[in-house]
């Protein structure tokens, strides 16, 4: 599954742990990156990912679909439970202004 580099960075920021690689074996080390038009593919021996670069910048990564799904789920679950300090203060203020249950 091809995942944009910015999306992968976001998922990995929020995912609490690394994807459990299981029994994936290391592949053979490649002597040279592979060129595909304006893109260069860099295969990683560990983890099975392939970085896709253009003009010296990684623009996407090829991931196993199961790993991509796992990362997306973990990131969403953690992110949904996070409030930045300003948002938390505003929410606490909102709750403080609410009438008690018996007063409604």
């Amino acid at each position: 599954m091809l995942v944009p580099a910015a999306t992968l960075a976001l998922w990995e920021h929020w995912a609490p742990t690394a994807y459990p690689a299981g029994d994936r074996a290391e592949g053979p080390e490649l002597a040279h990156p592979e060129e595909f038009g304006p893109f260069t593919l860099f295969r990683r021996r560990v983890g099975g990912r392939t970085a896709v670069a253009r003009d010296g910048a990684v623009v996407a990564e090829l991931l196993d679909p199961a790993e991509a799904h796992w990362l997306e789920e973990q990131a969403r679950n953690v992110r949904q439970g996070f409030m930045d300090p300003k948002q938390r203060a505003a929410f606490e203020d909102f709750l403080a202004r609410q009438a008690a249950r018996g007063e409604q």
Side-chain angles (χ1 to χ4, degrees):
M1 169 179 256
L2 187 64
V3 178
T7 300
L8 181 60
L10 182 66
W11 290 350
E12 288 181 332
H13 173 78
W14 290 108
T17 56
Y19 179 71
D23 57 352
R24 275 196 247 166
E26 292 184 12
E29 187 171 347
L30 298 175
H32 300 286
E34 295 179 49
E35 301 287 334
F36 289 93
F39 299 99
T40 305
L41 274 58
F42 298 93
R43 295 193 197 283
R44 296 191 182 142
R45 291 186 64 203
V46 178
R49 289 186 182 179
T50 300
V52 180
R54 182 176 186 166
D55 297 328
V58 175
V59 294
E61 290 212 27
L62 287 168
L63 278 75
D64 177 82
E67 181 180 6
H69 177 73
W70 184 89
L71 275 170
E72 183 178 24
E73 293 290 314
Q74 294 298 310
R76 186 184 66 238
N77 292 341
V78 171
R79 176 65 183 106
Q80 286 176 347
F82 176 79
M83 274 193 218
D84 65 45
K86 287 182 182 179
Q87 185 180 14
R88 182 181 307 270
F91 185 63
E92 288 172 358
D93 182 54
F94 168 78
L95 290 178
R97 288 185 276 123
Q98 299 305 305
R101 251 185 191 207
E103 296 174 16
Q104 292 180 355

